Structure formats: C-alpha cells, structure tokens
Amino acid sequence: MMVKAAEILESEKSSLGRLMTTEMGKTLRSAEEEAVKCAWGCRYYAEHAERFLADEAVETPASRSFIRYQPLGVILVVMPWNYPFWQVFRFIAPGLMAGNVGLLKHASNVPQCALKIEEILLRAGFPEGAFQTLLIGSGKVDRILEDSRVEAATLTGSEGAGIQVGSGAAKRIKKVVLELGGSDPFIVMPSANLDEAVKIGVKARVINNGQSCIAAKRFIVAEEIADKFERAFVSTMQSLKLGDPFDEKTDVGPLATADAVTSLHADVRKTIEAGAKLLTGGKPVQGKGSFYEPTVLSNIPTNSPAYREELFGPVASIFRVKNAEEAIRIANDSRFGLGASAWTNDKSEQELFINELEAGMVFINQMVASDPRVPFGGVKRSGYGRELSTYGIREFTNVKTVWVK
C-alpha cells in the first residue's frame, strides 16, 4: 500500500504540484519535487520498516530477552502549510508502517492538500480511517488531544503552537514530538569554496520562498573573506527572479499570506531602526501578490528581530567574525537549535563545529536538508523528538522489553 502511494505521488506530481502552488505559493518546480520526495519517503519505509521494527535480542541471563516495537495507536498530526505534502508524509511513511493511524489537522490555508493526502492513501489501498483529514480550526486541537483514543501527537509549527500542544499532551501524559522554529546559522570560514558557499547559501535562504524552518537565516562569515562573500551574496540575491510561481523561470514566488508580508516587513524595519545596514531589498513588492524583495541585512544589533527571531521569508542577515570560536558563539546565541551549516575545508574546524554547534543537525559544506535516511529534529526551543530514519519510526512505538525465563 505504501509503494502504491509512492506510485500515485510520482505519476501525479504535476497535478499535485499545481495544487500545492495554488494554495501556498511555492514555485511549481519545487512543488513537483516535493511530491517526488514524498514518494521517496514512502518507498524508503516500505523497504526498511520491517528491519527497523524487528525484535532486537539482548544478552541477559534469561533464556530469551529482546525488545519489541509495537504501535501506540491513534496519533494526532498537526502540520503547517509551508511543505503541505512533505511535512505530512514525514509522519505517514514511518507512522503508518509502524502500525499507527493518523488524524491530520492541517493548516487552514491548505485544505485541498489535506483532503488530497487522505484520498491518495485510500486509493493506495489503506483502509478507511487509517488516515483521516479533519477540517477544523486550531481551537479544537486540544479537545481531540483530550480524547482517550488519541495516544500521542506530532506537531511541526511555531513555538506558540508547540507550547500549546506540548502542554496539552503533558497534562494528559501523552507522548509528543515537536519540530518548531529555527534560526539556522550558515558559517563560512576562509578555507571554504567561496563561490559554492555563496551559491548554496542563497539557495538555502530563499528555498520555499524563504519559508522553511531549516532555511539558512544567519550568515556568519570570517572577517578575512567577508567583503568578497557579501558582494557576491548581495549580487546573487539581486539577480533572483520574483514572479508567478507557475512560471518555470521564477526563482522566488509569493509568501503564503498577506499577513506574512506585513509581519516580515515589520521585523525588517525594526532591525534597520535598531541600527542594521540594509544592503539590498527591504520592502514588499507593490502590485498583485504577497511578494517581498530578496533582502540582505548586515551589522545586526543584538536587540533586533533579525538577531533574536526567525524571519520567515527571503531575508538574510550577515555577521562578521574573527575566528571559528566567535562564529560558534554567535551561532549558539539563539533560543533555537534546529539545523546548522558550516563551510570549511579545515578538518579541525569541521570537528569543532560538529561538536560545539547547538543544533539537532550539522551539515558541513552543504545546506541543511531533510532526508529519510537520517534523523530530523532540533534542540532548545526548536523542539524535541525525531522524525525520519530509524529514530522517527520508533518515536510512536511502545519500546517493549520482553524477558523469558
């Protein structure tokens, strides 16, 4: 059934992509890629779930002792709009393969995507009720969590939403996995391939029109190469084509809502008023659509939104540092700890970043990305628990100890 779901996602990527683009504005190219990535996740767990969930023998004095992984039951799945299919399939593929069922409360601005996901699973042969979409507002989430049939919850979203669902689960003593915001650092040291760092850095900032929890947001650059990096980065940001997300030539489409533009612009203005320097962009695009100019800020004051908050849109902040130790200090000076990217060909620096960066994921000489083969999740205010890989499929299982004398 999971393989069949993958086949549907792949064969209908064009129509599914158009649906995603229509509802939340991501480029059609990236939307189609999202459908294919969901298929990859389905195939990965269809192939590996049996091995991930197999009994694990443990050497003890018992004649037989082992660990068995069994499903918890009904899982409440609260998901955001920015990756309307992938975020949900990050639960579906491991969660259903483990034997659980899901109740989806999707973001209210992507209802057609939410219904289409349920339809795909039904067409793939999953029984009715194995995965249900609930078209409800956020105000009813707590009532569902209260239901005795619901055993656990998973949420991807804002800090506020995570606090609400996390505290609701805690007072009912129910398991919850939270994947919340991020203000990911992108560190560039003198030994890095600068051209590659600029190219990938821009991509990492404007991916999904800048609306990604693991998008690079704070660019922390060694003083020695900062001028060169800044010039190239600003030039590349200025060259991006804004426009119709259905146009294959478009690099950056609109933000998901008009309110998102208003909020982002307010944060940019407050940061500039606090003393930051505007290098390019810095304002909404006038006319039809919720567009915001690709923006680069530097000299970021510590009391500004660009230093402390997650700016959800195509806005990059550049910091200059003397060495790797200062880069780590600034990178860690955040309540978030989701992902981090560090660019260096110095092996000792690589090891330093791997050990010292406070993040759930550290990528060296590559942008942060989700991949079914490795765990996804953060530390600090970015949440807890893991999705994907072996760890993700076991999050919603009863890890049962069995001892046979």
Side-chain angles (χ1 to χ4, degrees), residues 240-281:
L240 297 172
K241 177 178 170 53
L242 267 71
D244 181 355
F246 288 104
D247 185 342
E248 63 180 19
K249 296 178 181 178
T250 294
D251 297 308
V252 182
L255 300 191
T257 65
D259 286 346
V261 175
T262 301
S263 176
L264 180 63
H265 188 53
D267 284 341
V268 169
R269 295 314 309 168
K270 288 176 185 175
T271 300
I272 295 170
E273 289 164 5
K277 183 179 179 182
L278 177 64
L279 302 181
T280 189

Side-chain angles (χ1 to χ4, degrees), residues 80-100:
W81 46 261
N82 57 338
Y83 290 93
F85 268 61
W86 173 239
Q87 302 275 18
V88 181
F89 273 91
R90 276 205 326 234
F91 164 78
I92 286 172
L96 269 60
M97 288 301 300
N100 297 296

Side-chain angles (χ1 to χ4, degrees), residues 207-288:
I207 188 170
N208 208 38
N209 305 339
Q211 302 165 119
S212 172
C213 53
I214 55 170
K217 300 180 178 82
R218 297 177 295 143
F219 293 82
I220 303 169
V221 187
E223 191 76 56
E224 182 181 329
I225 56 168
D227 286 343
K228 188 175 180 181
F229 177 89
E230 195 172 272
R231 285 195 299 270
F233 190 90
V234 169
S235 176
T236 306
M237 288 284 277
Q238 290 171 336
S239 72
L240 297 172
K241 177 178 170 53
L242 267 71
D244 181 355
F246 288 104
D247 185 342
E248 63 180 19
K249 296 178 181 178
T250 294
D251 297 308
V252 182
L255 300 191
T257 65
D259 286 346
V261 175
T262 301
S263 176
L264 180 63
H265 188 53
D267 284 341
V268 169
R269 295 314 309 168
K270 288 176 185 175
T271 300
I272 295 170
E273 289 164 5
K277 183 179 179 182
L278 177 64
L279 302 181
T280 189
K283 61 183 185 295
V285 177
Q286 299 303 312
K288 186 178 180 181

Side-chain angles (χ1 to χ4, degrees), residues 369-395:
S370 57
D371 183 310
R373 297 166 293 190
V374 293
F376 185 94
V379 295
K380 297 161 64 171
R381 301 285 284 194
S382 289
Y384 49 78
R386 291 295 181 266
E387 298 175 286
L388 303 178
S389 81
T390 311
Y391 297 92
I393 196 170
R394 292 175 177 174
E395 282 283 8

Side-chain angles (χ1 to χ4, degrees), residues 12 23 37 187 242 310-311 325 375 395:
E12 300 179 14
E23 289 207 301
K37 188 170 185 176
I187 300 169
L242 267 71
E310 178 184 24
L311 270 57
E325 287 73 17
E395 282 283 8

